[in-house]
Amino acid sequence: MEGITYLFLNAMTVASILMVVGLGLAIIYGLMELINFAHGEFVTIGAYTLVAADLLGGSFWMALLCAPIVGALFGILMERVLIRYLYDRPLAVILATWGVSLIIRQGIQLTFGAKGFGVSDPLVGTMSIVGVEYPVYRLFLIVTALSIMATCYLIIRYTRFGLDVRTVIQDREMAACMGINTRRINLMAFSAGSALAAIGGVLIAPLGNVLPHLGLGYLAKSFFVVIVGGVGNIAGVAAGSCLIGGLETFFNYHIPVSLSQALVLILAIVIVRYRPQGIIPK
Amino acid sequence: MAAKLLETSNIKKYFGGLKVLQDVNISLDYGELLCILGPNGAGKTTFFNVISGTFKPTGGKVVFEGKNIAGLPIHKYARMGIMRKFQVPSIFDDLSVRENLAVAMIANRNSAPSNDRIMEVIDIIGLKTFIDTEAGNLAHGQKQWLEIGLAIITDPKLLLLDEPTAGMTADETAKTASLINSLRGQYAIIVIEHDMHFVRALNSYTIILHKGTNFREGSFSQIESDPEVKEIYMGRK
Amino acid sequence: MKWNPIIFRFKLPPTLKQLVDERIWLVAFIGLAGLLLAYPLWADGYSLNLVRDMLIFGIVALSLDWLWGKGGMLSFGHAAFFGIGAYSMAITSINLDWGFSSLLGLFASVAIPGIIALLIGYFLIFAGVRGAYFVIVTLAIGIVSQQAAISWVSVTGGDSGLLGIPPLGFTLGDHRFQLDNSLSLYYVVLTVALLSLLFLWQLSRGLYGNLLKGIENNEKRAQSLGHNTSLHLLIVMISSAMLAGLAGGLYASCTGFVAPDLLSLMLSTEIFVWVAVGGRGTLLGPFIGAFIIMRLQQVVSSISTGLWPLVIGAIFIIIVFVFPDGILPFIRKFVVRFKLLFEKSGVKHGR
Amino acid sequence: MSKKINRREALKTIGAAVAISATSFGVPTLLKAADTIKIGFMAPLTGFGALAAPYIQRPFELAVEQINAQGGAGGRKLEFVTEDTQSSTKGTIEKTRMLIGRNKVDVLMGLIYSMERKAALTVSIPNNKLLVYPTFYEGDECNRNLICTGQIPNQSIDKFVPWLMQNVGKTVYILGSDYLWPRTCTEHIEKAVKASGGKIVGVEYFPFGTYDFAPALLKVKDVNPDMVWTMVVGSDTSTVIKQYRSFNLKPQLVSNAVDEMWATFMPKEDLTGIISDQSYFMTRNSSANSVFVKAYQDKFGVENGLIPALAEAMYCGTWLYAKAVAKAGSTDNEKVVKAISQIQFDAPQGPVSIMACNNHMRTNSLIGKTREDGLFDILADQGMTDPNIPNCSL
């Protein structure tokens, strides 16, 4: 019983990380069908917001509030200066965002140095939950990720903006005909996606080391989460991240970690083979 | 007696609980022209999708030259001689008219590709002055004709035309009708349409499809004068 | 399945635009080939090795262009095929002590990536995986194969790679024929590069090129005309992987060394950039792109280590806006305009 | 001086860039001055290795400055060219070729990763150039053209394990990054632990970039060994240690990879109390070391003044080479290699020398425990250990 609880909590931790990063990606990718290779860098920007807050004497909680703003600002900048000219050239977007990703990574390295930063856990210690001791911060991470998920779901489901977004996902041209300002939706979605990635960065930072290429490692996996889950809906991201996080954690208990990570990716490919529209299609 | 070119028996196609086709039966001989008429939503395009391999039927048989062909990969249908023109023009936008036809021609392994044949087809579809134009830059009607050209260049046995006049001007529609009439006899052709005037111009054996079944069939004049057809079809128009 | 060679033989009479294209291509090709053939006359050993390696990476870029530019499928894990080719060469020729083992290694470096591409491609392409999905799945394949190369220490030597790959050669009786000097290796690589370039160009300028373009344009249409599009794409993918593998094999035997980062995502993205910069779909462009970017990277990184990623990143963005189709098409656009200005020919022109 | 060289190189290469054409590859090499010794220094200045690069770059520059201040090596001044390997095989090979072929350097120094070392050797061995390599690594190189100054497994483990068995406990759980060095070390540890009557109770390897170690850490919790030996490297080190602390695990953390560098990467409270074996700690109490630390911090400032064992090894390597050239009176490889095993350098870690049979350095084996400021309390100074590479006799 204890083992299963741990397995579940560990899987939820990994899933939460993937969820927050993947959610931002899902919004950008699902809505605009753009592959944003700089998405990982927004995670990095979020993490460095925390580092900057740390250096300036601020707290984790302040960074958690600031990061989405910083992320959104960078997102708006990128959309206005670059992406909006490239909506009809998806391949150019890959090249341009890869360029941006290099620039952001190196820019961060020049500003903060190549060395990593370790951020102290904002919540220290462990807590007893259904009979097991589990780190408080991880529990916080899981709860936060789930509430971000829920908030996004509510926004998409019940607000005017959400309705517009869903319309655009369904049929961009039709949405434009119906008087939805798709350019504005694009901008908002891009900044929202970037903001979410930045929050993800803050949340991830206390688990490990903050480095200029932190975000790169999450890029491929979060793409997979989105694809496996199903492009264009939030439930898909949740399902995809739970599936990948769960599989990875489960395998980790039984086989060598390198093998299990490879196995997860191979399984993801198999899933894409048989369910190209994702496990939860839109 | 030799087998018919195409026979379908009791074709059914369900999407979940939605029964789009239930019991569609047609039979077509070599060189014959058949029009399938029906209001929107009658299942015409679904029926085409079934006999050209895009969908596997839920039940029933599609027999082409004596063989049941339901469920084969799409490209096999073309190789057996079934060619299809889609409702929305579907051509290779970045290739020129000539290149479009050449790519269509080499799909069939039985005929040797030749420039003469390409020019011949360009003549038939009336795009002589546009041979090196990229297909994406053609006018809407010209795209439709090019697509018919793609379908006939390999001399198929059966030509499936899905609303060949959709979105055309009156003038273009008339030209299309005469184009189809000129092909009559060379290939078996099935046309699906909801435009009565166009079908009148073709004046062929006609089947009315309604709620996924054969509702009426007969010569066009018979169909036209049928009061029930008027009610379900023309009454709505 | 019946093989129909007509696809490769039949040709339409070219239009002016195509003629201009082909002429530019041929002029550039002959110029470049001539320059490279004569290059050893004045180059020192160091430069010769440098250009040789650039040529090898040019071949990899070519193989990606064949897949992406002609087949329409962008692989973001293309370094995996290159690296697998290099490892196949290394493992075969190090472990087999036999007169022909390095030749066998070269064969393995072509065959094994081909087989892997067959498996992956069968799984993906026949399932209808295209576009962005293909990009991401191949990206994952690259990551998995790099991790495999690091973890599978007993075979791959782990993170530090394998050293001591014998040079290409074979033993006949008591004689050993061996390619171990810079000059002969240079010419071997150059020959492979020029031949594969010419071959793929010849293949794609005719109807087969039109067919691939048509598949990229409107695959459903091509299918309903009777083309087995998945099979065509699979063949393109396999041949692309084999060419990348061959380049890997050559790289392994030229440098005598393989390491896991030859399969890395970093290298994959570099390859992608070479193709995008040179001009996707031009086959020759990727070579030019690889040369320019690699040279630029070396130069800038020797001047300032901190700046080169910034410079390279900025270059990508500039390319997207200034040369949207890459360098070679950019040049073409000018030549076409120039030609039309002076040749008031009656030939009809596309756009 | 190095600045000047760099600018000259820069002008030349800019010229090449301007005329990007094959012809520019043939720019004639500038004549080198015969009265200097030219060193090609390589480090992963960009890419994933960038975080460690300063720890070899700084001590190298310090050593060069000190040697030149003393009149150079055998009367010849040292000058150097720095090149970035871009943390990749391809980059390392290119830059090594460039240093040897274009810059005509006399010797190569630097590099951190095994992959870089091997890549450089593919070029340096055929060109008969000496490479001085500072990093601790798996210890299987046996080559006349390679001088290694970092600990190899037998030097960091053979004395460390008996000490641990006596002072910490008998059961060991090993966590490592999934690559060659931890695997080789594990073999050594297994042998040594068995010999001391202890037991390995678990071994686990993780691919680079693993961001969740919880499954393994919970297994550790189940097994409850006396100590957990971590050989997780790079930025993953801080991930594993932080998560170890967050799970509140009790077993003693030990390592042969943790050094002063980590204090800059991670919260010091997480680092405190780890026992590590290194050839050198900044806190070593000796006159040679206090002079070294002072010179280092005067040159680079206290904020850049952390000196891990890697840095000290680079410093040793540069000095040993200079002394060997002075003794040999030449930069000729054969002569330098012959001379280098006959000299001794009073290094901050203690008097070091190169073993003639395998070109590796005798290193110290210091056992330290991280304290609150990220430096180490030295628990034991076990003295010089000979590098042992089976079947190697040069």
Side-chain angles (χ1 to χ4, degrees):
Chain A
M1 184 59 216
E2 200 181 59
I4 294 170
T5 315
Y6 272 132
L7 178 72
F8 175 75
L9 288 172
N10 288 339
M12 280 311 292
T13 312
V14 177
S16 304
I17 296 171
L18 294 177
M19 233 181 256
V20 189
V21 182
L23 193 58
L25 197 71
I27 291 176
I28 294 172
Y29 181 64
L31 193 64
M32 299 181 267
E33 284 170 12
L34 296 181
I35 297 190
N36 176 14
F37 266 178
H39 190 73
E41 271 54 48
F42 286 99
V43 177
T44 319
I45 286 174
Y48 273 90
T49 311
L50 177 56
V51 168
D54 229 27
L55 293 176
L56 299 173
S59 71
F60 174 82
W61 311 107
M62 212 171 84
L64 194 57
L65 284 179
C66 292
I69 300 168
V70 175
L73 286 178
F74 270 95
I76 289 171
L77 186 73
M78 188 165 151
E79 206 272 351
R80 286 286 94 179
V81 176
L82 211 61
I83 306 292
R84 69 164 161 162
Y85 302 105
L86 303 173
Y87 278 120
D88 47 351
R89 292 170 54 202
L91 286 170
V93 171
I94 298 184
L95 188 62
T97 51
W98 185 249
V100 170
S101 140
L102 276 177
I103 291 174
I104 294 181
R105 232 180 296 156
Q106 191 62 19
I108 289 177
Q109 183 165 331
L110 291 177
T111 321
F112 289 91
K115 67 175 189 132
F117 286 91
V119 190
S120 308
D121 269 6
L123 298 165
V124 195
T126 57
M127 184 177 140
S128 187
I129 175 168
V130 273
V132 299
E133 286 286 309
Y134 208 70
V136 185
Y137 183 73
R138 284 173 171 249
L139 294 172
F140 166 76
L141 178 69
I142 295 170
V143 171
T144 315
L146 290 177
S147 37
I148 289 174
M149 215 64 189
T151 315
C152 284
Y153 178 75
L154 292 176
I155 289 175
I156 298 279
R157 197 84 193 80
Y158 294 108
T159 65
R160 180 61 215 266
F161 170 69
L163 184 66
D164 288 357
V165 166
R166 277 183 289 147
T167 320
V168 175
I169 290 181
Q170 288 287 327
D171 190 332
R172 171 168 294 270
E173 275 159 35
M174 187 64 94
C177 291
M178 281 161 51
I180 294 173
N181 184 347
T182 54
R183 292 183 151 266
R184 198 180 59 99
I185 295 285
N186 282 343
L187 178 62
M188 288 177 74
F190 204 88
S191 54
S194 312
L196 280 169
I199 295 179
V202 178
L203 291 172
I204 292 162
L207 290 178
N209 197 357
V210 181
L211 282 165
H213 50 88
L214 166 81
L216 206 57
Y218 293 95
L219 185 67
K221 227 169 225 167
S222 49
F223 264 118
F224 254 100
V225 163
V226 174
I227 287 186
V228 168
V231 177
N233 72 40
I234 289 184
V237 178
S241 45
C242 288
L243 184 78
I244 290 197
L247 282 177
E248 195 172 303
T249 310
F250 177 73
F251 286 143
N252 274 357
Y253 277 99
H254 302 284
I255 50 177
V257 184
S258 299
L259 194 62
S260 85
Q261 296 208 351
L263 209 58
V264 168
L265 287 177
I266 290 167
L267 268 177
I269 293 175
V270 173
I271 291 171
V272 172
R273 161 73 173 82
Y274 290 104
R275 287 204 66 98
Q277 46 323 73
I279 45 181
I280 298 190
K282 66 177 165 190
Chain B
M1 195 195 125
K4 290 260 188 182
L5 177 65
L6 177 76
E7 278 189 294
T8 70
S9 47
N10 309 325
I11 296 288
K12 294 181 185 33
K13 180 68 194 173
Y14 303 160
F15 293 99
L18 188 66
K19 297 177 176 176
V20 180
L21 298 179
Q22 11 188 2
D23 289 338
V24 182
N25 299 294
I26 65 162
S27 149
L28 191 71
D29 233 328
Y30 291 89
E32 208 177 332
L33 174 65
L34 170 70
C35 287
I36 301 179
L37 260 168
N40 285 326
K44 292 172 307 214
T45 301
T46 307
F47 179 63
F48 258 25
N49 280 336
V50 168
I51 56 179
S52 65
T54 312
F55 293 153
K56 211 179 154 178
T58 312
K61 269 188 185 169
V62 182
V63 178
F64 185 76
E65 297 193 301
K67 280 178 295 190
N68 189 355
I69 57 171
L72 291 177
I74 296 180
H75 65 269
K76 293 264 166 83
Y77 285 78
R79 293 195 188 162
M80 287 182 305
I82 301 177
M83 279 289 171
R84 177 181 183 185
K85 193 202 94 55
F86 293 90
Q87 188 169 351
V88 180
S90 172
I91 48 178
F92 305 117
D93 283 343
D94 290 350
L95 298 181
S96 71
V97 168
R98 257 179 345 149
E99 289 167 340
N100 261 281
L101 290 168
V103 167
M105 189 163 56
I106 54 171
N108 189 320
R109 281 126 206 283
N110 305 321
S111 64
S114 76
N115 255 312
D116 295 347
R117 175 67 184 147
I118 292 177
M119 294 315 289
E120 204 179 300
V121 171
I122 287 180
D123 247 2
I124 295 174
I125 58 176
L127 293 177
K128 214 160 184 183
T129 45
F130 298 97
I131 50 174
D132 284 322
T133 306
E134 275 181 30
N137 298 339
L138 291 173
H140 181 75
Q142 292 168 332
K143 286 183 185 171
Q144 302 267 38
W145 296 331
L146 175 58
E147 207 186 348
I148 294 177
L150 295 183
I152 62 175
I153 195 162
T154 53
D155 285 320
K157 291 170 183 149
L158 172 61
L159 201 55
L160 305 174
L161 304 177
D162 192 345
E163 306 212 0
T165 62
M168 281 189 177
T169 62
D171 191 32
E172 286 173 333
T173 306
K175 265 193 190 164
T176 308
S178 68
L179 172 61
I180 293 175
N181 273 324
S182 74
L183 301 175
R184 213 164 167 167
Q186 293 181 51
Y187 321 111
I189 304 174
I190 305 180
V191 179
I192 53 179
E193 256 304 339
H194 63 256
D195 181 353
M196 268 291 180
H197 304 286
F198 177 63
V199 178
R200 184 180 291 122
L202 295 181
N203 190 21
S204 70
Y205 193 78
T206 304
I207 294 177
I208 297 284
L209 203 63
H210 181 53
K211 291 186 175 165
T213 49
N214 300 39
F215 184 71
R216 282 287 183 282
E217 52 189 286
S219 73
F220 183 73
S221 46
Q222 277 174 320
I223 294 288
E224 206 177 19
S225 54
D226 190 305
E228 279 185 72
V229 170
K230 272 191 182 145
E231 195 179 310
I232 65 139
Y233 188 76
M234 278 157 261
R236 252 181 227 178
K237 208 167 178 185
Chain C
M1 175 198 138
K2 217 161 47 169
W3 180 245
N4 191 354
I6 216 78
I7 301 179
F8 305 104
R9 246 188 267 134
F10 182 72
K11 256 197 111 230
L12 290 167
T15 61
L16 173 66
K17 197 171 141 215
Q18 287 163 345
L19 276 179
V20 171
D21 264 13
E22 298 206 337
R23 212 164 291 164
I24 295 171
W25 200 94
L26 270 177
V27 167
F29 177 79
I30 292 168
L32 222 75
L35 203 64
L36 288 169
L37 282 168
Y39 184 55
L41 291 179
W42 67 86
D44 56 7
Y46 161 68
S47 311
L48 208 58
N49 288 345
L50 192 69
V51 175
R52 180 196 68 203
D53 281 9
M54 285 181 171
L55 276 170
I56 293 178
F57 286 108
I59 298 174
V60 189
L62 170 68
S63 76
L64 179 64
D65 193 31
W66 174 236
L67 180 65
W68 176 33
K70 300 296 182 187
M73 294 174 294
L74 172 56
S75 158
F76 239 77
H78 216 58
F81 296 120
F82 172 74
I84 291 169
Y87 269 99
S88 308
M89 174 81 193
I91 294 165
T92 317
S93 60
I94 289 175
N95 293 326
L96 291 183
D97 189 19
W98 179 49
F100 290 86
S101 61
S102 70
L103 292 183
L104 188 71
L106 201 61
F107 175 76
S109 72
V110 177
I112 293 175
I115 291 167
I116 291 173
L118 171 70
L119 292 175
I120 297 170
Y122 178 76
F123 238 60
L124 296 182
I125 293 173
F126 279 85
V129 174
R130 303 282 190 275
Y133 285 55
F134 192 83
V135 174
I136 290 154
V137 172
T138 46
L139 188 149
I141 289 165
I143 294 172
V144 170
S145 49
Q146 185 186 4
Q147 189 54 52
I150 294 173
S151 309
W152 197 7
V153 176
S154 57
V155 174
T156 61
D159 62 300
S160 58
L162 291 170
L163 197 60
I165 300 156
L168 270 182
F170 57 88
T171 314
L172 215 60
D174 292 337
H175 298 281
R176 172 114 189 119
F177 302 93
Q178 196 158 285
L179 289 171
D180 51 3
N181 64 74
S182 309
L183 194 66
S184 49
L185 277 174
Y186 175 82
Y187 277 114
V188 167
V189 170
L190 183 59
T191 313
V192 172
L194 294 180
L195 286 182
S196 52
L197 189 53
L198 265 184
F199 176 72
L200 290 181
W201 182 63
Q202 184 60 28
L203 199 61
S204 59
R205 66 199 272 261
L207 214 44
Y208 195 64
N210 287 339
L211 171 61
L212 291 178
K213 207 164 160 190
I215 292 176
E216 193 194 346
N217 239 223
N218 190 340
E219 191 177 340
K220 207 170 134 205
R221 175 77 268 180
Q223 262 172 9
S224 56
L225 286 173
H227 290 293
N228 190 346
T229 54
S230 296
L231 187 68
H232 283 297
L233 294 181
L234 182 64
I235 290 171
V236 170
M237 180 167 171
I238 294 172
S239 51
S240 164
M242 284 163 75
L243 187 59
L246 176 64
L250 287 173
Y251 187 75
S253 81
C254 284
T255 58
F257 177 60
V258 291
D261 74 330
L262 294 181
L263 309 112
S264 68
L265 177 61
M266 283 314 288
L267 187 58
S268 290
T269 51
E270 277 184 58
I271 298 168
F272 157 72
V273 166
W274 299 332
V275 179
V277 168
R280 177 194 162 212
T282 58
L283 301 178
L284 187 60
F287 272 94
I288 298 171
F291 267 65
I292 292 177
I293 294 290
M294 269 191 277
R295 189 71 193 130
L296 212 60
Q297 197 163 316
Q298 287 160 2
V299 169
V300 182
S301 103
S302 288
I303 296 170
S304 161
T305 47
L307 282 181
W308 77 262
L310 290 182
V311 173
I312 299 282
I315 286 173
F316 296 167
I317 294 170
I318 291 168
I319 280 167
V320 162
F321 287 104
V322 182
F323 320 101
D325 302 318
I327 290 170
L328 214 59
F330 181 77
I331 297 171
R332 186 197 70 189
K333 217 155 74 188
F334 274 94
V335 179
V336 169
R337 271 196 200 142
F338 184 78
K339 261 232 159 22
L340 287 179
L341 218 60
F342 290 94
E343 262 180 44
K344 293 227 164 69
S345 78
V347 182
K348 283 214 172 47
H349 178 60
R351 281 186 192 180
Chain D
M1 183 173 49
S2 69
K3 263 251 143 36
K4 202 163 130 205
I5 293 293
N6 276 336
R7 195 176 309 132
R8 208 191 298 158
E9 285 299 322
L11 285 174
K12 192 177 74 187
T13 33
I14 287 172
V18 169
I20 290 179
S21 71
T23 49
S24 74
F25 292 101
V27 176
T29 321
L30 297 172
L31 289 174
K32 63 167 181 155
D35 59 338
T36 61
I37 297 167
K38 207 165 180 185
I39 303 172
F41 178 76
M42 287 186 287
L45 298 167
T46 54
F48 66 85
L51 79 172
Y55 296 102
I56 59 172
Q57 199 176 6
R58 289 179 197 140
F60 169 74
E61 287 177 8
L62 174 67
V64 169
E65 191 182 88
Q66 288 179 344
I67 292 162
N68 282 338
Q70 290 183 9
R76 290 163 71 184
K77 296 257 179 191
L78 304 183
E79 60 177 50
F80 64 91
V81 185
T82 302
E83 284 293 347
D84 174 19
T85 65
Q86 301 162 17
S87 305
S88 77
T89 304
K90 188 169 139 271
T92 310
I93 290 179
E94 273 163 14
K95 291 303 167 67
T96 315
R97 278 199 201 129
M98 181 163 143
L99 288 170
I100 295 174
R102 180 63 42 84
N103 301 98
K104 312 278 183 202
V105 298
D106 297 300
V107 64
L108 297 164
M109 291 192 184
L111 302 174
I112 294 180
Y113 300 97
S114 283
M115 158 273 273
E116 291 178 306
R117 178 189 71 242
K118 296 257 188 196
L121 286 177
T122 61
V123 186
S124 69
I125 293 174
N127 285 289
N128 204 25
K129 281 277 177 277
L130 195 64
L131 169 65
V132 180
Y133 176 74
T135 320
F136 61 83
Y137 82 106
E138 53 276 6
D140 56 356
E141 297 281 7
C142 183
N143 195 297
R144 275 192 84 75
N145 284 320
L146 175 69
I147 308 275
C148 296
T149 59
Q151 277 182 324
I152 63 173
N154 84 295
Q155 293 171 305
S156 65
I157 290 166
D158 287 358
K159 289 180 179 169
F160 187 29
V161 167
W163 186 93
L164 287 172
M165 295 293 124
Q166 213 160 52
N167 294 286
V168 179
K170 294 285 185 197
T171 50
V172 187
Y173 201 107
I174 295 175
L175 305 176
S177 289
D178 192 356
Y179 75 109
L180 197 55
W181 178 74
R183 287 177 184 271
T184 315
C185 283
T186 301
E187 286 168 21
H188 274 271
I189 295 170
E190 265 172 353
K191 237 180 274 165
V193 166
K194 209 172 273 172
S196 315
K199 202 176 165 215
I200 307 277
V201 289
V203 182
E204 215 135 352
Y205 301 112
F206 305 89
F208 295 113
T210 299
Y211 52 79
D212 186 31
F213 289 89
L217 295 177
L218 291 170
K219 268 191 239 172
V220 169
K221 197 172 186 171
D222 271 354
V223 176
N224 198 23
D226 293 328
M227 65 189 103
V228 172
W229 189 312
T230 163
M231 287 181 284
V232 175
V233 301
S235 64
D236 296 350
T237 307
S238 64
T239 310
V240 74
I241 294 175
K242 283 178 88 170
Q243 297 188 359
Y244 190 87
R245 298 298 188 210
S246 79
F247 275 95
N248 216 357
L249 297 181
K250 297 290 178 260
Q252 172 68 47
L253 270 177
V254 304
S255 175
N256 52 344
V258 172
D259 56 30
E260 288 90 343
M261 216 194 290
W262 296 106
T264 63
F265 304 153
M266 52 186 301
K268 296 190 172 80
E269 68 266 21
D270 289 342
L271 210 53
T272 311
I274 299 174
I275 295 177
S276 179
D277 184 289
Q278 294 286 316
S279 57
Y280 168 80
F281 287 117
M282 260 182 95
T283 41
R284 182 171 193 270
N285 193 3
S286 77
S287 56
N289 184 41
S290 42
V291 171
F292 170 61
V293 173
K294 186 174 182 310
Y296 196 98
Q297 296 191 336
D298 284 350
K299 185 167 164 68
F300 302 106
V302 177
E303 71 280 5
N304 293 323
L306 274 184
I307 314 170
L310 170 66
E312 197 261 358
M314 185 73 245
Y315 181 78
C316 292
T318 316
W319 264 104
L320 283 168
Y321 175 78
K323 282 177 175 282
V325 170
K327 184 172 172 69
S330 158
T331 54
D332 181 80
N333 254 13
E334 274 311 302
K335 291 179 186 156
V336 173
V337 170
K338 205 165 277 170
I340 204 163
S341 58
Q342 295 162 11
I343 49 157
Q344 207 183 42
F345 171 58
D346 190 17
Q349 62 176 267
V352 296
S353 56
I354 300 290
M355 290 268 284
C357 68
N358 56 24
N359 270 358
H360 282 55
M361 194 169 85
R362 290 188 186 84
T363 65
N364 205 337
S365 170
L366 297 171
I367 298 171
K369 189 173 192 172
T370 24
R371 51 187 209 211
E372 258 142 44
D373 61 357
L375 299 182
F376 287 77
D377 278 332
I378 296 177
L379 306 177
D381 183 337
Q382 310 192 88
M384 292 298 157
T385 312
D386 285 348
N388 176 25
I389 299 174
N391 312 322
C392 182
S393 54
L394 292 172

